[in-house]
Amino acid sequence: MASTFRRTDATLLVSNGYAEDLIGAGLACELARAGRGPVLALPLVGSGTAYAGTAELQGPHLALPSGGFPFGSLANLRADVQAGLLTVSLRQWAAARRLGGQVARVVVVGDTYALAVGTLAARVVARPAGRAAGPRLPLTHLQPLVSSFYAQGMTPAAHLRELNALGANLFMPWEVALARRARRVYTRDQPSAVHLARRGVNAAYRGGFAMDVLPEPERDLGPLLDGRPVLALLPGQRGDAAFSLPVMLEAAAQLPAWQAAVAFARPFAELPPLPGWTAGQVDEATLWLRRGETRVLVLRGAFSAVLHRAALALGTAGTANEQAAGLGLPVVGFPTPGPQYVAGFAARQTRLLGQALTVTAPTAQAVAAAVQSLGTDPTRFQAAQADGRARIGRPGALAAVAAELDEN
């Protein structure tokens, strides 16, 4: 539905992914807090539910089978194309051009593709009949995906082995060309800002986007905990959980010194098959899984609460793993069949998080052994904590972006 906003102090947010939508919604909240006018949101992947209550949603929307990772594999790309990727993309480009005539500025949260769509929107300026078009709209880019850390230690041959992730490992020439047209580009870490600045981009680092969208603990878990250190299980929001959660639970059964707690984002009815485990639901947000002497807590709507009580995490997720590392939790991950946390993604996240992430074989025995190794090696444990906090960064980026949005 077309927006009724006029081009006054409105902002158009273009984002392409679940985590990107969260960042965009967080920025919309900061803009509202500063009294900076209405916000329109054009999410390019999914339905944009993160924007509820913070921005007026624009469409069209498309839920992709890949969850926004079409180039993670050939199967992902094929499924997305069959789901209507090309047709809906054309309609989204048209929407971007239309919306550009109704706002005062454009902010992009996402990758090169999102930046291209945002650039398209920023070229369109409303004008009175018979008068020439005005100047290009101010365009700001929040780049929460590419990091200079991703390319650390990679040889040309290594890049060739990860061709499907080339644009995620490196700032490609076409992204740099688009970024030079932006008023400012905000990066996820300082090395990336330095790298882009050397290539003629007005780049800045103001903090970690991932930590800005981590809420305060949603509930008090104290009454549910038994005094053992908490092991957070983060199977992710995509189809990876069907493979990873059973492996995590089996590993937890081999770690009696830890109390495992699953941060599960979906309704309990969507838990994957868990042979050998008996479920006992306490309420709509709390469930216990039992197998012999092992009890595992499963919680909905308590992701931050689980992270803030945990000492270590098992994770097959993107942003969730990064947020855990940013809080100082060592993370143990393992590759899944997909769609997101495939072997290549896990390798890339290892380069990003450094010692904060340990990637093992996808077996319960390997995962449990990694947890035991970390738990009995204080030097390595502390190095993992330090690397995670340093590489993910402090919160405060979105407040800074909102304050600086119209600076020259």
Side-chain angles (χ1 to χ4, degrees), residues 132-201:
R136 181 188 302 273
L137 292 175
L139 174 66
T140 300
H141 183 203
L142 279 63
Q143 177 37 293
L145 300 168
V146 185
S147 168
S148 293
F149 287 122
Y150 282 136
Q152 273 193 345
M154 292 190 73
T155 64
H159 281 298
L160 288 174
R161 288 194 295 270
E162 293 188 16
L163 271 180
N164 64 325
L166 193 62
N169 289 335
L170 298 168
F171 292 100
M172 302 304 291
W174 43 89
E175 177 174 3
V176 174
L178 288 172
R180 288 181 183 136
R181 302 180 183 181
R183 184 195 59 81
R184 182 169 290 160
V185 175
Y186 292 92
T187 62
R188 62 182 301 166
D189 49 58
Q190 186 64 36
S192 297
V194 172
H195 173 81
L196 286 176
R198 288 173 177 163
R199 299 176 70 179
V201 176

Side-chain angles (χ1 to χ4, degrees), residues 23-393:
I23 294 168
L27 180 58
C29 289
E30 293 292 345
L31 292 173
R33 207 170 282 129
R36 294 295 303 277
V39 177
L40 308 180
L42 178 61
L44 304 177
V45 175
S47 58
T49 54
Y51 286 108
T54 67
E56 180 182 324
L57 271 177
Q58 305 295 311
H61 308 134
L62 175 64
L64 296 174
S66 74
F69 293 88
F71 299 108
S73 69
L74 184 59
N76 282 8
L77 180 60
R78 185 184 300 113
D80 284 358
V81 170
Q82 291 173 345
L85 174 63
L86 298 179
T87 301
V88 174
S89 294
L90 289 172
R91 293 171 57 202
Q92 288 174 337
W93 299 347
R97 287 184 58 84
R98 170 177 55 80
L99 292 167
Q102 302 173 20
V103 297
R105 65 189 67 81
V106 178
V107 178
V108 172
V109 186
D111 61 11
T112 310
Y113 174 72
L115 179 57
V117 175
T119 300
L120 180 65
R123 294 179 62 183
V124 182
V125 181
R127 63 184 185 272
R131 293 185 59 183
R136 181 188 302 273
L137 292 175
L139 174 66
T140 300
H141 183 203
L142 279 63
Q143 177 37 293
L145 300 168
V146 185
S147 168
S148 293
F149 287 122
Y150 282 136
Q152 273 193 345
M154 292 190 73
T155 64
H159 281 298
L160 288 174
R161 288 194 295 270
E162 293 188 16
L163 271 180
N164 64 325
L166 193 62
N169 289 335
L170 298 168
F171 292 100
M172 302 304 291
W174 43 89
E175 177 174 3
V176 174
L178 288 172
R180 288 181 183 136
R181 302 180 183 181
R183 184 195 59 81
R184 182 169 290 160
V185 175
Y186 292 92
T187 62
R188 62 182 301 166
D189 49 58
Q190 186 64 36
S192 297
V194 172
H195 173 81
L196 286 176
R198 288 173 177 163
R199 299 176 70 179
V201 176
N202 183 17
Y205 169 67
R206 297 290 184 261
F209 303 122
M211 304 315 292
D212 271 339
V213 297
L214 179 65
E216 292 297 315
E218 302 89 348
R219 59 187 285 193
D220 178 17
L221 302 185
L224 299 169
L225 304 180
D226 59 20
R228 291 176 293 166
V230 175
L231 179 65
L233 274 53
L234 313 175
Q237 295 210 68
R238 297 178 174 86
D240 305 79
F243 175 86
S244 63
L245 185 54
V247 175
M248 291 178 179
L249 291 172
E250 181 62 34
Q254 299 177 30
L255 296 165
W258 295 80
Q259 181 176 9
V262 182
F264 196 71
R266 300 187 179 277
F268 291 142
E270 296 184 29
L271 281 166
L274 302 170
W277 294 88
T278 301
Q281 188 166 340
V282 178
D283 54 43
E284 63 179 14
T286 312
L287 179 147
W288 287 98
L289 290 173
R290 293 178 174 84
R291 194 183 75 182
E293 298 297 316
T294 304
R295 298 173 76 231
V296 175
L297 185 61
V298 185
L299 299 165
R300 292 187 64 236
F303 171 73
S304 182
V306 170
L307 284 194
H308 278 88
R309 293 302 295 260
L312 194 147
L314 308 182
T316 53
T319 302
N321 279 13
E322 294 171 18
Q323 289 170 324
L327 285 177
L329 305 184
V331 181
V332 176
F334 52 89
T336 77
Q340 180 182 17
Y341 213 80
V342 294
F345 188 100
R348 291 181 58 248
Q349 195 175 63
T350 301
R351 297 195 296 270
L352 172 69
L353 298 181
Q355 296 180 80
L357 176 63
T358 300
V359 175
T360 76
T363 67
Q365 293 76 15
V367 173
V371 172
Q372 290 171 333
S373 177
L374 279 163
T376 56
D377 187 341
T379 300
R380 186 175 164 215
F381 193 95
Q382 291 166 12
Q385 290 180 308
D387 242 14
R389 291 185 176 119
R391 292 185 176 226
I392 296 304

